[in-house]
Amino acid sequence: MITPKRFARATPEALHRIFTLAESPESTLGRIEQEISQNLLGFLNNHIVASKNALTDIEQDFICPRIPEQPEFVSDHMHHLLDKLVSQSVHTASPSFIGHMTSALPAFILPLSKLMVGLNQNLVKVETSKAFTPLERQVLGMMHNLVYQEKDDFYQTWMHSAQHSLGAFCSGGTVANITALWVARNKLLKSQGSFKGISRSGLYSALTHYGYQGLVILVSERGHYSLKKSADILGIGQDSVIAIETDENNKIDCQKLAEKCRQLQAENIKVLAIVGIAGTTETGNVDPLDEMADIAKEYQCHFHVDAAWGGATLFSNKYRSILAGIERADSVTIDAHKQMYVPMGAGVVLFKDPSSVADIEHHAEYILRKGSKDLGSHTLEGSRPGMAMLVYASLHIISRPGYEMLINQSIEKAEYFASIIDQHDDFELITKPELCLLTYRYVPKLVQALLADCQLSGDEEQQAELNLILGKLTKFIQKRQREVGRSFVSRTRIKVARYGGEKMIVFRVVLANPLTSKSNLHDILAEQCLLAKESETFLPQLLNMAKIS
Amino acid sequence: MITPKRFARATPEALHRIFTLAESPESTLGRIEQEISQNLLGFLNNHIVASKNALTDIEQDFICPRIPEQPEFVSDHMHHLLDKLVSQSVHTASPSFIGHMTSALPAFILPLSKLMVGLNQNLVKVETSKAFTPLERQVLGMMHNLVYQEKDDFYQTWMHSAQHSLGAFCSGGTVANITALWVARNKLLKSQGSFKGISRSGLYSALTHYGYQGLVILVSERGHYSLKKSADILGIGQDSVIAIETDENNKIDCQKLAEKCRQLQAENIKVLAIVGIAGTTETGNVDPLDEMADIAKEYQCHFHVDAAWGGATLFSNKYRSILAGIERADSVTIDAHKQMYVPMGAGVVLFKDPSSVADIEHHAEYILRKGSKDLGSHTLEGSRPGMAMLVYASLHIISRPGYEMLINQSIEKAEYFASIIDQHDDFELITKPELCLLTYRYVPKLVQALLADCQLSGDEEQQAELNLILGKLTKFIQKRQREVGRSFVSRTRIKVARYGGEKMIVFRVVLANPLTSKSNLHDILAEQCLLAKESETFLPQLLNMAKIS
């Protein structure tokens, strides 16, 4: 469509208009907004094109490094954004996009987010957030209550205390994990006698003062990569994150964990933290938290639980017990932007002990003065938006029983999907869902027979060859499905106990979107079978090359 | 108002509606949204009550730590939020709230933010962001260009290269500063021979391997508190942030900086980074960046510029030269949520050398695979929202000349305010604006005469007494003005060269809001004079107690 070229001008009047006059409902942006308000899913369905464009092609639309010397009219720019950006973005709310942890959002979240942006509070200090500060403290109290279930008077004492903190809002789970380990590190290596503490004197002096040969973090081999990142940032080093083996259910082997603790103690290497996972990113399993708490207690080390994904399971009276023992953790990470259906950017870290933050406290002259209730004196980040309002509203509008329904539905949907994969001739379920995640792979009947033969004859080499081919198949299907763009599952590579701990490529599915129906699941499997047919042209060749046929 | 009590129910149908049915325009939330869309400032003026409620009173509305067992209707909850939260929040967009760095936002930002939330992309990986990934890389390229002004082919080579990065989007300036110093630390202490680098082996091994007695960060005494926080988190220790004295214009004294570098070298203490400030938080001054770059070059250390506040001055051809030398920095922090008028949560760190991020790179099996263009492999944070879209749109809609106008207007407004303070009988300008920040204090005529006497007679003790009293006065006025709630200036405590480096309490003003008019400024001073009258009841007593009268 050729439109008459209009030129926007950078004049003081134009700028003043930009800051004072709202977009009219008839403008392009006004119309987009109405479309989103009336029917977000429809808008996304209409505007996100399932394009097969490779990333390198898309990049061609985003190559100019120059800052425009000529302003654009909002409407012209919005056409450009719809055309180049929105159309080529990812339909994270689609019921058939079950490969990642982002989902559809409740409708009230959108106008509420607009209110949040319009208010533009800065939670770093009371001066720029006022009522948002007690609101955030209350939400931290509620989340603390979800995990630790302390009595009301506990919260009355600590929730609004200036020098204390029940937790911290963060931009996401990574910052939450870093914050937890920062607190653990600074508490362990705190001031003593003439030593001023790691916070002031640094890690080198701290290890020297306390006479430790090193610090380590123990976590199962399924631990999230953010833990290694945390160890790097905090100066401990990635190699100090020791991966403990998991059992056949992807849960940490507590015997091995205890053994490792004994061994490290003998070597005078201090365990900074034991990290339990409540919902591994790849398989959704939950570590035996209660047993881990025992071990942490025995070796007197910080016990952190990364419940970024699984934490919301605590809303479910039916499934809450999967996380039993989490209430013994010194700190817990939960992402509200995952199973609490809040938009991206809402991580939370919680502390069992409200005075945990004493060793990371900081002050400045113009804000965060001592004794102030400024949230910024206990957070890793400085300026932060009022995301707590969205969590607050969701907790009230959805309520615990509503969240329980969402959680239960997700888990039961995953069980249903597992059962149809199990019954299907051409798929193999690799990890059963404990929460709403599962993994599986494509194994055509022909190869199933060959695999069975290997298992009977104990031919491990042959089995490995076959698994390699199956990995290629699964990867091929996953990539094609993503390219076609009607649906999306992700893939990962995990050790599978059933195959002697061999690492293999699998489909990974996350069933948190409440809009995903059983028929969506059937359709996804059917599409994968269809795509697998394309592999028939090269599968025999692969099998041949592997000298099987 | 008593409304008939309705009860929301947590049923599967209700939940499904929440995820699929939009708020009707007639609902409370629908009406709020329309009000915001049509006239944000009007909405804020109407709903934010200039209440004198103390924080402890407000807290009473936010004390329940229990997660509701009963859902609420969206409309009921919105009434509650308007009543308890919005009414008691801070009017950051008000033309008379000139005490902080948040300002009014362009009108197009609101609907655009809603689009961003609705798309709910996750920028950690291409799979959940697709076109948003090249878009963010382009915005980083544009911001890099703003600072470093490399040629087009530089950007063609590096902007979209998988293993490289021109910078990183962050939740704010603090994370940007931590990221810059993390990069500097890991680059300095990188792998060498059998040593695997600090990233893997930690700080203790790294210092041992390289044989340094310690690491320090040098910054002027006006440095932002986030630098100490960074030093704490990175394991270097807050005491290793060495504050270098500033001159009478609040700029780092480069002679003292060079001296300190010489002295540290002699002690075998390695300077990890020299940090220049482009826009100090308290006074808005800019360090002599070019001279600092020379020193950093001589001592071969990382040169970081914290331009969180002042970076946007680079848009102004007229004032750009204030930041001359920034293009020699190894890394630069700029907050788009400050003078780029983007909502809270948009920090950026830029790297001169696109391969700087090599030493902080990380990978995982299911995402951030080697060779992928996933942004998450080079960021401190993991999951992140698509804020880059708001910066992109602002750069196109406002354009460089538009930003130049905004910057120039701000600086010139500050100069105007300084001139009326200077001419006023009862105020003293403490720091002149270099950017759009200034500080001043209330000095009634009576005390002015006494101060002049002290300066003549050289009675420093008397002068100190007077300054203490003036500090109390300024603090009294600032607090009362905040309580009354019609306008807001902040206060801080700074060393003032003119009074022999004495620390004193001053008003601090930031004039970034394009809606602030000259008459607003006159009104603010008039209100302060009026409030000062309230002090007449106790000023003589104070003077008396200090044995001056």
Side-chain angles (χ1 to χ4, degrees):
Chain A
M1 184 181 66
I2 297 166
T3 50
K5 197 87 185 160
R6 306 173 305 159
F7 293 103
R9 294 220 174 80
T11 62
E13 296 69 35
L15 280 174
H16 196 261
R17 273 200 303 277
I18 277 185
F19 277 87
T20 49
L21 289 188
E23 284 302 306
S24 89
E26 290 76 37
S27 72
T28 305
L29 184 51
R31 276 185 284 118
I32 291 174
E33 209 194 338
Q34 280 172 51
E35 225 187 305
I36 295 175
S37 297
Q38 283 155 18
N39 182 1
L40 173 64
L41 267 184
F43 172 86
L44 298 173
N45 291 338
N46 289 340
H47 290 276
I48 301 179
V49 180
S51 93
K52 296 182 194 181
N53 281 358
L55 190 62
T56 43
D57 292 333
I58 298 176
E59 278 167 3
Q60 296 314 306
D61 293 325
F62 300 98
I63 46 167
C64 179
R66 295 198 215 122
I67 294 167
E69 278 292 325
Q70 176 72 38
E72 273 178 40
F73 283 113
V74 174
S75 287
D76 292 347
H77 189 66
M78 288 319 298
H79 281 292
H80 166 74
L81 284 183
L82 283 185
D83 187 29
K84 300 299 184 191
L85 180 69
V86 176
S87 69
Q88 306 194 94
S89 63
V90 177
H91 193 338
T92 58
S94 162
S96 303
F97 277 51
I98 55 172
H100 37 57
M101 291 179 162
T102 36
S103 152
L105 298 172
F108 67 83
I109 284 290
L110 265 85
L112 208 57
S113 300
K114 194 166 156 187
L115 175 62
M116 181 191 92
V117 172
L119 287 170
N120 206 26
Q121 306 291 292
N122 182 351
L123 278 279
V124 71
K125 50 183 169 171
V126 174
E127 256 179 30
T128 50
S129 62
K130 219 167 167 182
F132 271 77
T133 291
L135 171 117
E136 184 166 301
R137 282 181 175 268
Q138 183 185 357
V139 176
L140 289 169
M142 293 166 93
M143 296 301 293
H144 190 282
N145 201 349
L146 178 70
V147 173
Y148 296 107
Q149 303 185 302
E150 299 283 357
K151 299 223 174 80
D152 281 8
D153 60 352
F154 173 92
Y155 297 101
Q156 270 158 35
T157 310
W158 304 118
M159 203 155 72
H160 294 290
S161 163
Q163 278 82 29
H164 299 83
S165 194
L166 299 178
F169 260 79
C170 308
S171 63
T174 297
V175 173
N177 280 340
I178 298 174
T179 304
L181 294 169
W182 177 29
V183 164
R185 192 200 65 178
N186 283 19
K187 213 171 167 181
L188 176 69
L189 305 172
K190 61 168 174 276
S191 62
Q192 188 185 59
S194 65
F195 174 63
K196 290 176 188 157
I198 181 171
S199 147
R200 288 188 54 189
S201 303
L203 185 64
Y204 190 94
S205 306
L207 291 184
T208 309
H209 172 80
Y210 280 98
Y212 296 129
Q213 290 301 308
L215 288 185
V216 296
I217 295 166
L218 303 181
V219 63
S220 99
E221 52 191 348
R222 290 271 177 277
H224 190 255
Y225 70 92
S226 65
L227 296 168
K228 282 201 170 186
K229 208 197 295 192
S230 306
D232 174 359
I233 291 168
L234 294 169
I236 299 160
Q238 294 182 20
D239 290 354
S240 297
V241 178
I242 300 182
I244 308 293
E245 268 179 59
T246 47
D247 63 17
E248 66 284 3
N249 294 317
N250 301 294
K251 292 164 184 281
I252 196 166
D253 181 328
C254 278
Q255 211 174 327
K256 295 212 164 109
L257 174 64
E259 255 166 52
K260 184 48 97 179
C261 286
R262 265 193 299 280
Q263 181 200 330
L264 290 163
Q265 199 173 41
E267 294 169 21
N268 194 27
I269 293 172
K270 179 68 192 167
V271 178
L272 168 63
I274 291 178
V275 180
I277 315 168
T280 69
T281 316
E282 287 163 290
T283 62
N285 293 104
V286 180
D287 281 336
L289 304 177
D290 210 35
E291 251 182 285
M292 294 180 82
D294 288 338
I295 299 172
K297 195 180 167 194
E298 187 180 343
Y299 291 92
Q300 293 185 4
C301 54
H302 187 101
F303 180 37
H304 175 64
V305 173
D306 182 352
W309 175 255
T313 312
L314 295 169
F315 289 114
S316 164
N317 291 341
K318 185 170 177 187
Y319 292 109
R320 186 183 162 100
S321 62
I322 297 175
L323 275 67
I326 195 170
E327 70 286 354
R328 297 175 63 194
D330 295 298
S331 56
V332 172
T333 290
I334 298 179
D335 270 345
H337 60 232
K338 294 198 168 100
Q339 287 196 97
M340 286 179 71
Y341 304 96
V342 162
M344 203 50 60
V348 167
V349 59
L350 303 160
F351 304 114
K352 187 183 183 72
D353 174 0
S355 56
S356 292
V357 290
D359 297 296
I360 63 160
E361 198 171 272
H362 43 266
H363 300 281
E365 279 290 2
Y366 68 109
I367 54 161
L368 319 181
R369 299 181 183 99
K370 278 192 188 184
S372 83
K373 296 196 172 178
D374 294 337
L375 290 161
S377 46
H378 300 130
T379 56
L380 184 147
E381 293 160 274
S383 300
R384 284 182 305 108
M387 288 296 285
M389 180 179 80
L390 304 186
V391 182
Y392 179 87
S394 300
L395 284 170
H396 282 86
I397 293 169
I398 298 178
S399 81
R400 194 208 53 78
Y403 273 119
E404 161 143 29
M405 263 180 220
L406 291 167
I407 294 291
N408 295 359
Q409 278 176 6
S410 296
I411 294 178
E412 285 147 22
K413 207 183 291 169
E415 282 164 1
Y416 176 79
F417 195 38
S419 75
I420 62 174
I421 290 168
D422 238 1
Q423 286 154 25
H424 200 292
D425 278 348
D426 297 325
F427 290 100
E428 180 186 8
L429 185 69
I430 298 293
T431 57
K432 276 187 221 167
E434 183 173 14
L435 304 181
C436 67
L437 274 79
L438 61 84
T439 64
Y440 65 106
R441 62 176 184 165
Y442 182 71
V443 188
K445 253 192 195 162
L446 162 71
V447 187
Q448 266 177 41
L450 295 171
L451 261 183
D453 287 349
C454 294
Q455 299 229 294
L456 266 176
S457 64
D459 188 343
E460 285 182 15
E461 210 170 296
Q462 177 92 324
Q463 181 184 293
E465 287 276 9
L466 282 171
N467 281 332
L468 216 68
I469 291 168
L470 290 170
K472 280 184 186 160
L473 261 180
T474 290
K475 184 171 170 179
F476 169 82
I477 297 168
Q478 191 267 347
K479 282 182 119 172
R480 286 287 295 130
Q481 193 167 21
R482 187 183 65 195
E483 280 162 21
V484 173
R486 264 195 299 273
S487 54
F488 172 72
V489 302
S490 56
R491 70 170 201 273
T492 188
R493 209 168 143 256
I494 53 170
K495 275 196 203 172
V496 182
R498 192 183 326 153
Y499 292 101
E502 230 178 89
K503 271 207 163 185
M504 45 186 63
I505 294 174
V506 294
F507 298 119
R508 167 176 167 272
V509 154
V510 185
L511 287 165
N513 190 337
L515 305 181
T516 302
S517 66
K518 289 183 178 178
S519 85
N520 290 135
L521 301 177
H522 285 280
D523 290 350
I524 285 165
L525 284 190
E527 192 190 4
Q528 292 186 325
C529 285
L530 213 65
L531 292 169
K533 285 218 187 302
E534 294 179 20
S535 74
E536 281 173 6
T537 52
F538 62 83
L539 179 61
Q541 215 177 339
L542 277 179
L543 290 173
N544 219 5
M545 278 166 66
K547 288 181 193 121
I548 313 165
S549 63
Chain B
M1 185 181 64
I2 298 166
T3 51
K5 196 89 183 159
R6 304 174 306 159
F7 291 103
R9 293 219 174 80
T11 61
E13 295 69 37
L15 281 174
H16 195 259
R17 274 200 303 277
I18 278 185
F19 277 87
T20 49
L21 288 188
E23 283 303 306
S24 89
E26 290 76 37
S27 71
T28 306
L29 184 51
R31 275 184 284 117
I32 292 175
E33 207 193 341
Q34 278 172 51
E35 225 187 306
I36 296 175
S37 297
Q38 282 156 18
N39 182 1
L40 173 64
L41 268 183
F43 172 87
L44 298 174
N45 290 339
N46 290 339
H47 290 276
I48 300 178
V49 181
S51 94
K52 297 181 192 180
N53 281 357
L55 190 61
T56 43
D57 293 332
I58 298 176
E59 278 168 4
Q60 296 313 308
D61 294 325
F62 300 97
I63 48 165
C64 179
R66 295 199 215 122
I67 293 166
E69 277 293 325
Q70 176 72 38
E72 271 178 41
F73 282 113
V74 174
S75 286
D76 292 347
H77 189 66
M78 289 319 298
H79 281 292
H80 167 75
L81 285 183
L82 282 184
D83 187 29
K84 300 299 183 189
L85 181 70
V86 176
S87 68
Q88 307 195 94
S89 63
V90 178
H91 194 338
T92 57
S94 162
S96 302
F97 278 52
I98 55 172
H100 36 59
M101 291 179 162
T102 35
S103 151
L105 298 171
F108 67 83
I109 283 291
L110 264 85
L112 208 56
S113 300
K114 194 166 156 188
L115 175 62
M116 182 191 92
V117 172
L119 289 169
N120 206 25
Q121 307 290 293
N122 182 351
L123 278 280
V124 70
K125 49 183 170 171
V126 173
E127 257 179 28
T128 51
S129 63
K130 218 166 166 184
F132 272 77
T133 291
L135 172 117
E136 184 167 302
R137 283 180 174 269
Q138 182 185 358
V139 176
L140 289 169
M142 292 165 94
M143 295 301 293
H144 190 282
N145 200 350
L146 177 70
V147 173
Y148 296 106
Q149 302 185 304
E150 298 283 355
K151 300 223 174 81
D152 281 6
D153 60 354
F154 173 91
Y155 296 101
Q156 271 159 37
T157 310
W158 304 117
M159 204 155 71
H160 293 290
S161 163
Q163 279 81 29
H164 299 82
S165 193
L166 299 178
F169 259 79
C170 308
S171 62
T174 297
V175 173
N177 280 341
I178 299 174
T179 304
L181 293 170
W182 177 30
V183 163
R185 191 200 65 178
N186 283 18
K187 213 171 167 180
L188 176 68
L189 304 172
K190 61 167 174 274
S191 62
Q192 189 186 57
S194 64
F195 174 62
K196 289 174 187 160
I198 181 171
S199 147
R200 290 188 53 188
S201 303
L203 185 63
Y204 191 93
S205 305
L207 291 183
T208 309
H209 172 80
Y210 280 99
Y212 295 130
Q213 290 300 308
L215 288 185
V216 297
I217 295 166
L218 304 180
V219 63
S220 101
E221 52 190 350
R222 288 272 178 277
H224 190 255
Y225 71 92
S226 65
L227 296 169
K228 283 201 169 184
K229 208 196 299 191
S230 305
D232 175 359
I233 291 169
L234 294 169
I236 299 159
Q238 293 183 21
D239 289 355
S240 297
V241 178
I242 300 180
I244 307 292
E245 267 178 61
T246 48
D247 62 17
E248 67 284 4
N249 294 317
N250 301 294
K251 295 164 183 280
I252 196 166
D253 181 328
C254 279
Q255 210 175 327
K256 294 214 164 106
L257 174 65
E259 254 166 53
K260 185 46 98 177
C261 286
R262 264 192 300 281
Q263 180 201 328
L264 290 164
Q265 198 173 42
E267 295 169 21
N268 195 26
I269 294 172
K270 178 67 192 170
V271 178
L272 168 62
I274 290 177
V275 180
I277 314 168
T280 69
T281 316
E282 287 164 288
T283 63
N285 293 103
V286 181
D287 281 337
L289 303 177
D290 209 36
E291 249 182 286
M292 293 181 84
D294 288 339
I295 299 172
K297 193 180 168 195
E298 187 181 343
Y299 291 91
Q300 293 185 4
C301 54
H302 188 101
F303 179 37
H304 175 65
V305 173
D306 183 353
W309 175 255
T313 312
L314 296 168
F315 289 113
S316 163
N317 291 341
K318 185 171 176 188
Y319 292 108
R320 185 183 163 100
S321 62
I322 297 176
L323 274 66
I326 195 170
E327 71 286 354
R328 296 175 64 194
D330 295 297
S331 55
V332 173
T333 289
I334 298 178
D335 270 346
H337 61 231
K338 295 199 168 100
Q339 287 197 97
M340 286 179 72
Y341 304 96
V342 163
M344 204 48 63
V348 168
V349 58
L350 303 160
F351 304 114
K352 187 184 182 72
D353 173 359
S355 56
S356 292
V357 289
D359 296 297
I360 62 160
E361 198 171 273
H362 43 266
H363 299 281
E365 279 290 2
Y366 68 110
I367 53 161
L368 320 180
R369 300 180 183 99
K370 279 195 184 180
S372 83
K373 296 194 171 178
D374 293 337
L375 292 161
S377 47
H378 300 128
T379 55
L380 184 146
E381 293 161 275
S383 299
R384 285 185 302 109
M387 289 296 286
M389 180 179 81
L390 303 186
V391 183
Y392 180 88
S394 300
L395 284 169
H396 283 86
I397 293 169
I398 298 177
S399 80
R400 192 208 54 77
Y403 273 119
E404 161 142 27
M405 264 177 219
L406 290 168
I407 293 291
N408 295 0
Q409 277 176 8
S410 296
I411 294 178
E412 286 147 21
K413 207 183 292 168
E415 283 164 358
Y416 176 79
F417 196 38
S419 76
I420 61 173
I421 290 168
D422 238 0
Q423 287 155 26
H424 200 290
D425 278 347
D426 297 325
F427 291 99
E428 180 185 10
L429 185 68
I430 299 293
T431 57
K432 277 187 221 168
E434 183 173 15
L435 303 181
C436 66
L437 273 78
L438 61 83
T439 64
Y440 65 107
R441 62 177 183 165
Y442 182 72
V443 189
K445 254 188 190 162
L446 161 71
V447 188
Q448 266 177 43
L450 295 172
L451 260 182
D453 288 348
C454 294
Q455 299 229 294
L456 267 175
S457 65
D459 188 342
E460 284 182 18
E461 212 169 297
Q462 177 93 323
Q463 181 182 294
E465 287 275 12
L466 283 170
N467 281 332
L468 217 64
I469 292 168
L470 290 170
K472 281 183 187 162
L473 261 181
T474 290
K475 185 171 169 179
F476 169 82
I477 297 168
Q478 191 268 346
K479 281 183 120 174
R480 286 287 295 130
Q481 193 166 21
R482 188 183 64 195
E483 281 161 20
V484 173
R486 263 196 299 274
S487 52
F488 172 74
V489 303
S490 55
R491 70 169 200 273
T492 189
R493 208 166 145 260
I494 52 170
K495 274 195 202 174
V496 182
R498 191 185 325 153
Y499 292 101
E502 228 178 274
K503 271 205 164 186
M504 45 185 63
I505 294 175
V506 293
F507 299 118
R508 167 177 167 272
V509 153
V510 184
L511 287 164
N513 190 338
L515 305 182
T516 303
S517 66
K518 289 183 178 178
S519 86
N520 290 134
L521 300 177
H522 285 281
D523 291 348
I524 284 165
L525 285 189
E527 192 191 3
Q528 292 185 326
C529 286
L530 214 63
L531 292 169
K533 286 216 187 304
E534 296 179 19
S535 74
E536 282 174 4
T537 53
F538 63 84
L539 180 61
Q541 214 178 342
L542 277 178
L543 291 172
N544 220 2
M545 277 166 66
K547 291 183 188 116
I548 313 163
S549 61

